[in-house]
């Protein structure tokens, strides 16, 4: 990849979910409190054409199951009648507690009612309206962190936290993103942003902290981008973790990398920022073949998106010496139970079941539902798992708030806001927050554990790289009811 391509990649951003990874924004839904089909939202799910795509409570973006009380609360908020807004938003949550947008707006309205004591602290949120599931997963992480802070005695210098939501319906609409960034940066009351860094330089130039929920910092330097921090480790950290497991722990020395070239990646990426599939593949190839592990990658053209019969692709991989398969399916393949990807893993089981490994976007409930027993023992490197930090209250509190388990996307967004909250406790100015997050001794704690940034603003490996394996259910927790499988944490 040449220098121009690298620059274009950085400019086009997401893990992580990724996982990620960044990846975070390529993370799919794992177990959502209320399951939906995760197809593109219709007009009854998301409002992508509000007045200015900005809202503290006066605009509603998530219109799925919108109650009369939520609508009335939003109208009252727009009029400045915050007491009525609190009453109506509370009534709406009593009907549907699994509505993070309403919880955010309730907190924002309460902040207005209490600002006579201390002026609210405001943080901006860039929300991608890809699918309704993904938007709600993002809002759950934000709402949980905000609600916990505002209901505690340990507020930020006694101030309530408000979240200013800035919604983007199409990540490829560069003009819309530029306009939204300008509005957020020009608002002196906004002290930081959570979202994604399409163009990191803009935040550095205007000295506004952005904690990005995705990370493209794969072996590339962001020298001079002092105001952008990343809530997940870099993508090459995930590829290194998986390579170590494949070569060192399983003893597999030769692996075939399989992808899906049939999907139009530009359409996939228009939903939200993500690391390109080709970049992820190259990172995994480099990690496996590095002098650190000395593994091999076959020359097999393992592409379950071309016209070659699936059975022939697998036989060819085995002939080339493959002892395992590293999979990189497209977003569309994962969402289609009849895709050639799922045909591929079914054929793999039929032919003798080579061990399976995969990318972060496979860490979701659809994989278990559609893949079933054909995915048994598959291993992924991911940014969060509910059992990684058993003493962490995040999962318990999430279950109480939303009525079920949450996704990695929710956990990483929560961590991004937790880093900002921790920093603002020490200094609630734009410049002071940047200096605090940049200090070598800065530490915050989130859903995925410790949050600590490198000099380049990248979260360290200790706080957010875990291995999971598909296993039969031994209890109801995390179990997919259709497949009777779940992702279990692999302990070191």
């Amino acid at each position: 990849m040449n220098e121009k391509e690298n620059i274009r990649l950085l400019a086009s951003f997401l893990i992580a979910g990724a996982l990620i990874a960044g990846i975070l924004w390529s993370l799919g839904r794992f177990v959502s409190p209320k399951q939906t089909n995760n197809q593109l939202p219709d007009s009854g799910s998301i409002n992508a054409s509000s007045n200015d795509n900005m809202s503290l409570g006066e605009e509603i973006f998530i219109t799925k199951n919108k109650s009369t009380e939520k609508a009335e609360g939003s109208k009252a908020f727009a009029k400045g009648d915050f007491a009525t807004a609190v009453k109506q938003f509370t009534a709406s949550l009593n009907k549907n507690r699994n509505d993070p947008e309403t919880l955010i707006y309730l907190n924002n309205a309460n902040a207005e009612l209490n600002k006579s004591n201390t002026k609210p602290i405001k943080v901006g949120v860039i929300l991608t309206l890809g699918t309704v599931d993904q938007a709600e997963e993002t809002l759950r992480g934000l709402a949980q962190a905000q609600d916990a802070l505002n209901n505690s005695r340990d507020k930020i210098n006694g101030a309530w936290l408000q979240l200013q939501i800035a919604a983007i319906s199409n990540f490829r609409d560069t003009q819309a993103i530029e306009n939204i960034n300008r509005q957020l940066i020009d608002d002196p009351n906004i002290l930081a942003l959570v979202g994604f860094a399409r163009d990191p330089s803009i935040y550095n130039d205007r000295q506004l902290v952005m904690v990005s929920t995705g990370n493209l910092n794969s072996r590339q330097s962001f020298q001079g981008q002092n105001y952008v921090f990343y809530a997940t480790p870099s993508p090459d950290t995930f590829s290194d973790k998986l390579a170590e497991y494949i070569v060192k722990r399983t003893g597999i020395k030769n692996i075939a990398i399989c992808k899906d070239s049939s999907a139009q990646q530009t359409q996939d990426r228009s939903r939200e920022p993500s690391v390109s599939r080709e970049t992820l593949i190259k990172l995994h190839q480099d990690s496996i073949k590095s002098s650190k592990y000395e593994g091999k990658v076959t020359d097999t053209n393992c592409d379950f998106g071309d016209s070659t019969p699936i059975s022939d692709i697998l036989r060819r991989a085995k002939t080339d010496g493959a002892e395992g398969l590293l999979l990189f399916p497209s977003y569309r393949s994962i969402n289609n139970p009849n895709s050639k990807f799922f045909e591929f893993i079914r054929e793999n089981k039929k032919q003798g079941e080579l061990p399976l490994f995969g990318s972060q976007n496979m860490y979701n409930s659809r994989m278990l539902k559609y893949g079933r027993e054909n995915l048994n023992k598959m291993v992924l490197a991911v940014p969060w798992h509910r059992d990684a930090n058993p003493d962490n209250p995040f999962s318990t509190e999430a279950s109480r708030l939303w009525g079920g388990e949450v996704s990695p996307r929710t956990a990483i967004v929560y961590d991004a806001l937790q880093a900002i909250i921790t920093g603002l406790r020490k200094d609630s100015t734009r410049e002071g927050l940047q200096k605090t997050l940049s200090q070598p001794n800065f530490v915050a704690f989130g859903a995925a554990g410790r949050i600590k940034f490198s000099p380049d603003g990248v979260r360290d490996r200790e706080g957010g790289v875990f291995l999971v394996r598909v296993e039969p259910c031994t209890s109801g927790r995390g179990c997919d009811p259709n497949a009777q499988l779940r992702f279990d944490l692999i302990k070191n």
Side-chain angles (χ1 to χ4, degrees):
M1 184 178 291
N2 60 38
E3 184 178 354
K4 289 184 178 180
E5 289 174 324
N6 282 335
I7 294 173
R8 185 164 59 251
L9 175 63
L10 288 174
S12 66
F13 195 87
L14 232 12
I15 204 225
L19 261 117
I20 352 89
I23 287 183
L24 278 190
W25 289 110
S26 63
L27 290 170
R29 177 168 54 101
F30 174 40
V31 179
S32 179
K34 288 192 177 180
Q35 299 285 351
T36 59
N37 61 16
N38 207 35
Q39 300 299 310
L40 282 172
D42 56 30
S43 58
S45 300
I46 283 181
N47 173 23
S49 57
S50 67
N51 292 333
D52 62 359
N53 291 335
M54 294 279 188
S55 180
L56 283 168
E58 64 275 16
E59 298 275 357
I60 294 175
F61 297 117
I62 308 298
T63 55
K64 182 189 75 173
N65 300 325
K66 183 177 71 173
S67 67
T68 300
E69 290 83 359
K70 182 176 182 178
E72 290 301 316
S74 182
K75 290 178 183 178
F77 195 106
K79 294 176 182 178
D81 183 357
F82 301 114
T84 299
V86 167
K87 179 180 177 181
Q88 294 291 350
F89 287 142
T90 301
S92 182
L93 283 170
N94 287 336
K95 283 186 173 181
N96 178 22
R97 66 171 172 167
N98 186 21
D99 183 355
E101 184 181 38
T102 298
L103 184 57
I104 289 172
Y105 291 165
L106 172 60
N107 273 279
N108 288 347
N110 269 316
E112 292 291 340
L113 287 179
N114 287 275
K115 70 179 181 182
S116 59
N117 299 323
T118 307
K119 182 181 178 181
I121 284 179
K122 189 184 291 186
V123 171
V125 175
I126 299 179
L127 174 69
T128 305
L129 300 178
T131 69
V132 65
D133 284 347
Q134 291 165 351
E136 286 193 318
E137 286 169 8
T138 297
L139 292 175
R140 284 188 194 107
L142 297 164
Q144 183 169 339
Q146 180 196 30
D147 192 62
L149 173 67
N150 286 343
N151 283 287
S152 73
R153 295 181 179 179
D154 189 23
K155 296 182 176 64
I156 302 171
N157 300 323
W160 286 64
L161 174 65
Q162 286 187 321
L163 297 179
Q164 171 82 59
I165 299 176
I168 296 173
S169 59
N170 184 351
F171 181 68
R172 301 176 69 196
D173 188 344
T174 56
Q175 186 60 52
I177 294 174
E178 182 180 340
N179 291 339
I180 282 176
N181 269 311
R182 187 181 301 115
Q183 292 179 66
L184 292 170
I185 291 171
D186 288 345
D187 183 348
N189 294 314
I190 292 179
L191 301 181
L193 298 178
V194 174
F196 55 87
R198 183 184 180 104
D199 179 8
S201 65
I202 188 173
Y203 310 110
N204 189 69
D205 293 342
R206 301 294 297 275
Q207 298 183 334
L208 178 63
V209 164
M210 154 67 79
V211 179
S212 178
T213 50
N215 190 351
L216 280 187
N217 190 35
S218 51
R219 298 175 184 164
Q220 301 182 53
S221 173
F222 280 115
Q223 292 180 0
Q225 308 301 338
N226 300 325
Y227 279 78
V228 179
F229 299 83
Y230 297 88
T232 65
S234 61
D236 52 348
T237 306
F238 290 90
S239 64
D240 180 79
K241 182 83 169 180
L242 191 57
E244 178 186 35
Y245 183 85
I246 291 171
V247 180
K248 297 297 185 181
R249 294 184 62 175
T250 71
I252 292 175
K253 299 295 185 182
N254 201 351
I255 196 161
I257 294 181
C258 304
K259 63 180 181 179
D260 181 0
S261 64
S262 65
Q264 297 182 24
Q265 292 191 39
T266 55
Q267 292 183 12
D268 280 355
R269 288 200 296 270
S270 70
R271 296 169 178 266
E272 61 179 15
S274 62
V275 180
S276 76
R277 197 170 302 116
E278 293 303 321
T279 299
L280 287 177
I281 290 173
K282 180 65 164 57
L283 287 174
H284 284 77
Q285 285 177 331
D286 290 348
S287 294
I288 291 169
K289 295 164 66 176
S290 68
S291 58
K292 189 176 179 181
Y293 303 121
E294 297 183 333
K296 295 180 180 179
V297 176
T298 70
D299 294 327
T300 308
N301 180 26
C302 187
D303 186 346
F304 37 81
D306 67 18
S307 58
T308 306
I310 292 296
S311 58
D312 290 350
I313 295 175
L314 275 166
R315 277 193 286 268
R316 187 167 55 206
K318 292 178 179 179
T319 300
D320 290 343
E323 304 168 83
L325 302 171
L326 180 51
L327 308 175
F328 291 89
S330 68
Y331 179 92
R332 292 174 181 269
S333 294
I334 290 173
N335 279 274
N336 179 7
N338 299 315
S339 67
K340 290 188 72 175
F341 165 67
F342 286 110
E343 179 186 347
F344 182 84
I345 60 173
R346 287 193 296 270
E347 181 65 23
N348 176 58
K349 185 173 182 64
K350 179 180 176 182
Q351 286 195 22
E353 204 167 9
L354 287 175
L356 300 179
F357 308 92
S359 57
Q360 294 177 45
N361 70 332
M362 299 171 72
Y363 185 40
N364 60 68
S365 60
R366 297 178 302 283
M367 287 300 302
L368 302 180
K369 179 179 178 180
Y370 302 149
R372 295 180 177 269
E373 68 277 0
N374 304 302
L375 292 175
N376 196 26
K377 305 300 181 183
M378 180 181 71
V379 174
L380 313 175
V382 300
W384 175 80
H385 188 275
R386 62 184 179 274
D387 296 330
N389 298 283
D391 297 329
N392 192 316
F394 169 79
S395 294
T396 301
E397 179 61 16
S399 181
R400 183 192 68 80
L401 273 177
W402 315 118
E405 296 193 30
V406 294
S407 74
R409 187 191 307 272
T410 296
I412 298 307
V413 173
Y414 174 90
D415 282 9
L417 186 51
Q418 281 295 99
I420 291 172
I421 289 171
T422 302
L424 289 173
R425 289 188 193 280
K426 297 183 180 297
D427 194 319
S428 54
T429 66
R430 287 187 176 187
E431 182 180 1
L433 176 61
Q434 187 274 334
K435 289 181 178 178
T436 299
L437 297 185
S438 299
Q439 290 175 358
N441 61 349
F442 171 80
V443 176
F445 293 93
R450 188 182 78 178
I451 305 169
K452 187 176 179 64
F453 300 111
S454 73
D456 288 332
V458 181
R459 185 173 183 169
D460 68 10
R461 177 173 180 154
E462 182 176 329
V465 183
F466 309 99
L467 292 172
V468 297
R469 181 169 49 222
V470 176
E471 298 279 6
C473 295
T474 55
S475 69
R477 189 176 184 216
C479 181
D480 181 87
N482 298 291
Q484 288 299 304
L485 295 169
R486 67 180 180 183
F487 292 102
D488 274 355
L489 181 71
I490 298 176
K491 298 181 181 179
N492 294 328

